[in-house]
Amino acid sequence: MKFHAKPLSMLLASAAFALPSVASELTVYTYSSFTSSWGPGPQIKAAFEAQCDCTLTFVSSDDGVSLLNRVRLEGANTQADVILGIDDALIAEARALGVVQPHSINWGDYPMAADLAWSDDTFVPFDYGYFAFVYDSETNSKPVTSLDDLLRSNVTIVYQDPRTSTVGQGLMLWMNAVYGDDVGDAWGALAERTVTVTSGWSAAYGMFLEGEADYVLSYTTSPAYHVVAESTDRYKALAFSEGHVAQIEVGAISAHTQQPELAEQFLTFLLSKEAQEIIPVTNWMLPVRTDVDLPEVFSELAQPERIGFTAEEVYSNRQKWIREWRNAVSQ
């Protein structure tokens, strides 16, 4: 009996079929509180890996501004497939740097919160909130009612560096929206009440909880954490008469990823009801969908008037505003 040899291509195909499949790995650059044990990262990772046939790896930076600085420095050598956790104030700069690429998500497929008015073809929002100062009602029975009162009062404050933190940058936008050309004097008044300026949100909030300052810059949603996780309503967020700057946190596909389809699958997952139900009770921000069930305390949170700037206005003025802040606090 004579055996006929199989063509080489068939042998290679058979061998390849016999090998175990290797799952794809998706690398997501984000900020450290997102990936902490109490943040949304662990639950988001488990839920996405259960449906993607891939391994999701988070790489953390201190904060959103640090994250953008990192991908800018890494350029085409970045390992990021997804950039997650910059905010709407930085999207014009990220677009100008060429570190992101468009997605194909159809916004009409999602019940998006109307006040977001979102239609961007590159950035995908995953939560939002309003910057606010938080205080301890057990030690402070007469909180201030406006940003101007805060600057004129005899209190202590801790906030974040606008060069490294999106929260600190939010205060910079807030101060400029309220004081305009007089912002230098306002920064000077704030400096007299400032205990310290931290590089990120976690360090500032930790100092506040340890009693090292009367007020900390955070979000209107921060008290919800203490009510749900600690069963205490002692921590309150102030609603200022001047209005508040909003923050919309976004993700985008890296311009240098080799797997844009998987990156978009992850961003689409973040818009799912499953992911949107995880984020508000782990990242303590508002969901971008309107059909998410939330703990009762969310209905009791301050709903301030929104003020601020467009992403393009922030991009045009950000360096000048940072210089004004640095000059005021260094005196």
Side-chain angles (χ1 to χ4, degrees), residues 204-223:
Y205 208 81
M207 290 182 63
F208 164 72
L209 293 178
E210 292 172 0
E212 297 189 37
D214 299 319
Y215 295 91
V216 62
L217 178 65
S218 191
Y219 298 91
T220 57
T221 46
S222 298

Side-chain angles (χ1 to χ4, degrees), residues 302-320:
Q303 298 186 16
E305 176 189 357
R306 183 176 178 178
I307 60 174
F309 303 94
T310 66
E312 290 72 25
E313 289 172 328
V314 175
Y315 180 50
S316 298
N317 292 283
R318 182 165 173 264
Q319 294 306 317
K320 176 175 76 74

Side-chain angles (χ1 to χ4, degrees), residues 117-228:
W118 202 260
S119 60
D120 197 275
D121 67 354
T122 301
F123 295 94
V124 177
F126 61 92
D127 65 21
Y128 75 107
Y130 293 87
F131 298 111
F133 282 95
V134 173
Y135 72 100
D136 183 350
S137 64
E138 291 189 359
T139 60
N140 183 353
S141 60
K142 294 182 178 180
V144 298
T145 59
S146 70
L147 186 58
D148 209 47
D149 285 346
L150 185 73
L151 270 56
R152 296 174 186 276
S153 63
N154 186 26
V155 300
T156 54
I157 297 165
V158 59
Y159 69 94
Q160 303 80 8
D161 191 327
R163 297 170 297 181
T164 57
S165 166
T166 57
V167 189
Q169 178 176 265
L171 178 60
M172 183 177 73
L173 307 186
W174 201 358
M175 294 283 280
N176 278 277
V178 172
Y179 293 103
D181 293 339
D182 296 325
V183 73
D185 292 338
W187 279 126
L190 188 66
E192 295 179 5
R193 284 139 193 83
T194 301
V195 174
T196 191
V197 177
T198 64
S199 61
W201 176 88
S202 297
Y205 208 81
M207 290 182 63
F208 164 72
L209 293 178
E210 292 172 0
E212 297 189 37
D214 299 319
Y215 295 91
V216 62
L217 178 65
S218 191
Y219 298 91
T220 57
T221 46
S222 298
Y225 163 77
H226 298 287
V227 172
V228 174

Side-chain angles (χ1 to χ4, degrees), residues 249-296:
E249 294 194 295
V250 302
I253 304 170
S254 168
H256 306 292
T257 181
Q258 300 301 308
Q259 41 192 0
E261 294 84 5
L262 183 57
E264 178 161 315
Q265 184 182 345
F266 175 71
L267 293 175
T268 302
F269 170 73
L270 290 179
L271 292 171
S272 69
K273 193 170 180 181
E274 179 181 10
Q276 287 289 297
E277 288 180 342
I278 294 172
I279 291 172
V281 292
T282 49
N283 217 29
W284 303 101
M285 296 282 276
L286 300 170
V288 297
R289 294 178 64 122
T290 58
D291 58 350
V292 175
D293 294 328
L294 296 171
E296 179 63 26

Side-chain angles (χ1 to χ4, degrees), residues 16 37-38 49 58 64 68 75 78 87 118 132-133 142 153 173 180 206 261 265 327:
S37 59
W38 42 265
E49 287 182 343
F58 288 121
L68 183 58
T78 186
D87 66 12
W118 202 260
F133 282 95
K142 294 182 178 180
S153 63
L173 307 186
E261 294 84 5
Q265 184 182 345
N327 291 338

